[in-house]
Amino acid sequence: MVLKYQRHKNSSVIYKTEIMNENIKKNLSFLKSALTEESSFISTAEVINWLKERNEAVNVKITKIKFKDLIGWSFSEGQFNLKHNSGKFFSIDGIKVKTNYGNLSEWEQPIINQPEIGYLGFITKEFDGILHFLVQAKIEPGNVNNVQLSPTLQATRSNYTQVHNGKAPRYLEYFRDRNRCTVLLDQLQSEQGARFLHKRNRNIIVQTEENVEIHDDFIWLTLGQIKKLIQYDNLVNMDTRTVISGIPFGSFTSSTIDFFRAIDKNRISPTAEAMLESALKNDKALMSIDEIIAWFTNLKCKFDLNVSKMSLADINDWIIDDYEIRHKDNKFFKVIATEVEISNREVAKWMQPLVQPAQEGLIAFIVKKINGVYHFLIQAKLESGNFDVLEMAPTVQCLTGNYRQTAEGALPFLKTVLNVQNEDIIFDTLQSEEGGRFYQEQNRNLLIKVNDDFNESIPSDYCWMTLNQLHSFLKYNNYLNIQARSLISAISFI
Amino acid sequence: MVLKYQRHKNSSVIYKTEIMNENIKKNLSFLKSALTEESSFISTAEVINWLKERNEAVNVKITKIKFKDLIGWSFSEGQFNLKHNSGKFFSIDGIKVKTNYGNLSEWEQPIINQPEIGYLGFITKEFDGILHFLVQAKIEPGNVNNVQLSPTLQATRSNYTQVHNGKAPRYLEYFRDRNRCTVLLDQLQSEQGARFLHKRNRNIIVQTEENVEIHDDFIWLTLGQIKKLIQYDNLVNMDTRTVISGIPFGSFTSSTIDFFRAIDKNRISPTAEAMLESALKNDKALMSIDEIIAWFTNLKCKFDLNVSKMSLADINDWIIDDYEIRHKDNKFFKVIATEVEISNREVAKWMQPLVQPAQEGLIAFIVKKINGVYHFLIQAKLESGNFDVLEMAPTVQCLTGNYRQTAEGALPFLKTVLNVQNEDIIFDTLQSEEGGRFYQEQNRNLLIKVNDDFNESIPSDYCWMTLNQLHSFLKYNNYLNIQARSLISAISFI
């Protein structure tokens, strides 16, 4: 049957004569790229060197300054909030949170308010039959190491729609002019719920057949390479990780997968193979999707999240001084005023607030073979900025509190994660938060496996899911939180 | 393999050794009930008579009164809003809406604000191997015909959790004590976006094996009977329709379905058969789920919805007089103060505001065979009270405006729907909105088919989907709006 996808310019319509095969073809194309570490362009080792060179070629100087010297930004009357004078970008607001979730029923905190949807997009193209992603070595002021791998396009909605007629971001035309490419993925995903109020990003992957001009600092990488690079500390930025976490690889019965694995002579590592099976098999899960939805609905109805705006100046236990908005005991995070100077081929200078965490955080998934397939231990977690009360989070997520000071037994599964034996670690790396907002924030990302003797009985706000099921929920808005997605992005099948 | 589902009382955990078969068994159990119109208890014709008798045995008197006589309710200072003195139930608030969707970029309106989640639940039980639903003949003050068929349980969250220790609603114990039943469905679903601000209901279906005491006004019906009864005007209430719309029937390849249809000697009507195939076949859709998500994400990012609270008294073009909150030209709807007196076996009397529509509305799906399977023409629609900007709506939805006065061509597909030939009507009935909030609101529900020569090219905010795909989206929060769900609930496979 003919595969056809057409958009008629004049009638603004879409039609198509046959699609399901095309969908399987798309999943397969992603999977082949994920299974390929050899690029026609650059080896993974060379990418690491290239990033190192790029990093050394640039000098980023961040100076902490006084809020009163932060040109372009100011506190509104009575220090209600901190905002850009144009009303654009973002503001730091105060919120009062009431909830029946967790031990703390009421608190106040500063939060980043950025109502505009962020656009994160990759251009992809097939070379020698393998899909490659156009990746940028991008400088962000808050990065611990200056330069990290970012999507082809990082833009605000205003950049994207060009309403202000500013300078168009590079490659924008491939995303805006849908005749130049096919859309492979287009999803709305959440940002950190403890730091952002209802913030969402649009994650887009397009495929083109055109000859793409490659600007400085851009390279073509396979998905397998990107996933390998996430196995290293702080090479791949958060925006890349969220986009690639949403990539679907297909859904098949166990017998189909077992059949094709049996005739495949190229064995991969046992862990990678088990991950691939967890990603693809759709009939080995402990609970069905409907049951997981019922579990999640029950918890969403059980927990309240009531958030109201308040003045920054009135937030209990927080202090606004000349340089910082901080907790009186320096807990959680602080908002700092900075002057940024980046010297590369040319010099750029600007001022902006950044959010600095009080300490390094920890996020971890525990996985266990159940019914012969890896299941991930998911937590239903409430965070103040969540769009819809709860999101599905990693087994352990300690970002705002200090996990090294958490009382023994206070946080489920923390002890299991911290006491993991080396042979049970699937990966253990440091990954950065978005360097445009966060100052040198990096968190430990851990994926560990547990043995058969690990008790499957879990608290009622936890649930076991296969990777195939996580991919199903990931398609829909606001199910998996950004920390869960960051961990999923790092799962390699090779 | 052993099917096992256990909740350990002491450890509050769930585990299970094998589940996927159980899920197929559950879908099949729903499907068998949907295909059964013969009940062990009461025939469909008898239900209609029984409802008629119930309706005649009750006298409902609604008197329009002045707001100042509405005991228990009052306007807040400066008529900012209208609310119950306890702060419970609901309030009528004012909102200002800004959007780039549609022709009107800014408006102000009253809206119902009811933050508490409503609980709508059915108890089901197998008799002679067929699942039956425990349905109540329930009086609601706003119903055009007093009594309609409602779910076993209609409760507020406070009723449900018994926080106020009031009188427990009948059968609540089956929903609260999860050892007495299995959960078949538990979903969060939206209410009318033009009338309610972010309101959601929890839709629950549980199955028990206990002997259930049958109170007056309760009967056991098959799903096939309920769906047949929706083919009549105003017999089945909105709450029943939303819960049963969410029921999944399974997902299979065409070859599986074709195989079993071929060996099935009990032919059903061609339209019912085509609907069943659209519900079950998962490989004949024009667009894949991923592509539909991409289509919907693109529109969600295109349209803004900015809603802010304002005083009722300040709403442009709306008037608060002694008896009503109404538009100056009596358009859209009005809020009225009423005294309700219901005389049945005993007399009950209370006062409450109700929302009265300006006219009867129209909702319609156009369906067309594409790839041999019925596809539904879906509209991405923005309404002021939507939780997440857009929801998937019927092809034509005219509720707040008067469709009889709509200019020709102003509303896509309205003409096709209004000019439908008799032989192309799958159903055409009047259905009521929730009688606890709405005064005699009934809307025309239409499902019509179009021929091959109907142009598949459609505006960019419309999309063709199979019933199987609609059921997929229905599982997740806030995809299908309540009008789309109402139409889907009426689709019969017999």
Side-chain angles (χ1 to χ4, degrees), chain B residues 41-214:
Chain B
F41 297 95
I42 185 168
S43 73
T44 308
E46 284 168 337
V47 177
I48 297 170
N49 277 331
W50 178 75
L51 272 175
K52 209 172 148 222
E53 282 165 24
R54 280 285 177 283
N55 190 3
E56 282 163 3
V58 70
N59 193 29
V60 177
K61 194 175 149 206
I62 306 275
T63 315
K64 286 177 74 169
I65 59 174
K66 290 185 178 177
F67 283 117
K68 72 175 177 56
D69 298 327
L70 195 65
I71 295 168
W73 295 78
S74 49
F75 285 103
S76 58
E77 211 183 304
Q79 297 190 317
F80 189 85
N81 65 1
L82 173 67
K83 59 184 178 46
H84 194 260
N85 299 339
S86 69
K88 288 194 280 182
F89 305 110
F90 60 94
S91 60
I92 306 292
D93 292 358
I95 55 168
K96 185 184 186 74
V97 183
K98 288 185 190 180
T99 180
N100 58 348
Y101 172 95
N103 301 321
L104 202 60
S105 65
E106 213 173 309
W107 73 89
E108 300 169 354
Q109 67 164 92
I111 200 159
I112 308 170
N113 186 1
Q114 184 175 353
E116 209 177 32
I117 292 172
Y119 285 61
L120 312 174
F122 274 111
I123 296 174
T124 65
K125 186 181 172 177
E126 278 195 1
F127 297 97
D128 301 327
I130 302 293
L131 203 63
H132 284 65
F133 290 65
L134 189 58
V135 176
Q136 181 185 12
K138 191 162 195 284
I139 305 164
E140 295 277 13
N143 285 350
V144 287
N145 54 349
N146 302 344
V147 176
Q148 295 188 10
L149 295 177
S150 92
T152 321
L153 178 79
Q154 282 174 274
T156 61
R157 186 179 158 193
S158 320
N159 293 146
Y160 190 90
T161 53
Q162 289 284 287
V163 281
H164 301 301
N165 288 314
K167 197 183 155 209
R170 283 207 192 284
Y171 300 110
L172 178 64
E173 61 276 16
Y174 286 89
F175 295 89
R176 290 193 23 105
D177 183 353
R178 293 283 166 100
N179 291 311
R180 298 182 68 169
C181 55
T182 312
V183 178
L184 300 183
L185 178 149
D186 194 347
Q187 300 169 343
L188 268 181
Q189 297 291 357
S190 57
E191 286 246 15
Q192 295 95 305
R195 302 290 178 77
F196 284 103
L197 185 64
H198 302 176
K199 172 95 189 322
R200 296 201 290 188
N201 286 322
R202 181 176 179 180
N203 292 192
I204 319 171
I205 303 179
V206 298
Q207 182 177 357
T208 187
E209 294 182 357
E210 293 184 21
N211 283 320
V212 180
E213 186 192 351
I214 303 301

Side-chain angles (χ1 to χ4, degrees), chain A residues 318-480:
Chain A
W318 286 72
I319 295 157
I320 306 179
D321 67 22
D322 287 352
Y323 289 91
E324 299 176 338
I325 305 170
R326 63 181 174 86
H327 190 266
K328 70 176 169 50
D329 302 325
N330 289 315
K331 291 201 284 191
F332 313 122
F333 60 88
K334 52 181 74 167
V335 180
I336 57 176
T338 66
E339 184 181 60
V340 180
E341 185 178 330
I342 293 184
S343 346
N344 195 359
R345 285 170 292 267
E346 47 197 57
V347 177
K349 239 177 157 172
W350 72 90
M351 297 183 188
Q352 72 166 91
L354 284 170
V355 172
Q356 179 177 7
Q359 69 278 311
E360 180 194 306
L362 169 70
I363 57 175
F365 264 131
I366 289 177
V367 304
K368 182 187 172 172
K369 273 204 181 169
I370 303 174
N371 294 338
V373 168
Y374 273 148
H375 280 65
F376 290 64
L377 186 51
I378 306 294
Q379 175 190 178
K381 191 168 173 66
L382 180 143
E383 294 185 277
S384 53
N386 280 359
F387 188 77
D388 190 9
V389 190
L390 295 176
E391 294 189 2
M392 296 176 182
T395 321
V396 171
Q397 176 179 326
C398 294
L399 296 176
T400 44
N402 190 332
Y403 69 86
R404 294 191 185 82
Q405 290 165 11
T406 301
E408 179 145 346
L411 199 68
F413 309 113
L414 178 61
K415 204 178 141 193
T416 308
V417 168
L418 293 180
N419 295 341
V420 62
Q421 301 296 306
N422 263 338
E423 66 268 25
D424 294 329
I425 295 176
I426 299 175
F427 59 76
D428 182 1
T429 61
L430 290 172
Q431 300 295 345
S432 299
E433 296 301 313
E434 219 261 288
R437 293 290 168 271
F438 300 103
Y439 180 69
Q440 304 203 337
E441 173 157 12
Q442 52 181 351
N443 296 305
R444 191 174 167 197
N445 280 228
L446 253 173
L447 187 62
I448 67 166
K449 51 189 176 188
V450 291
N451 298 328
D452 284 351
D453 56 2
F454 182 88
N455 198 340
E456 276 165 40
S457 302
I458 47 177
S460 62
D461 49 341
Y462 289 76
C463 180
W464 292 105
M465 297 184 210
T466 64
L467 192 49
N468 186 271
Q469 292 181 319
L470 287 171
H471 279 300
S472 294
F473 282 105
L474 229 162
K475 287 180 204 283
Y476 299 89
N477 300 162
N478 296 95
Y479 276 88
L480 268 72

Side-chain angles (χ1 to χ4, degrees), chain A residues 16 19 157 291 304 388, chain B residues 16 157 200 286 291 304:
Chain A
K16 175 181 304 194
I19 180 61
R157 188 180 156 193
E291 285 177 308
D304 294 319
D388 190 9
Chain B
K16 175 181 303 194
R157 186 179 158 193
R200 296 201 290 188
L286 192 61
E291 284 177 308
D304 293 319

Side-chain angles (χ1 to χ4, degrees), chain B residues 400-415:
Chain B
T400 44
N402 190 333
Y403 70 86
R404 293 192 186 80
Q405 290 166 12
T406 300
E408 178 144 347
L411 200 69
F413 309 112
L414 178 61
K415 204 177 142 194

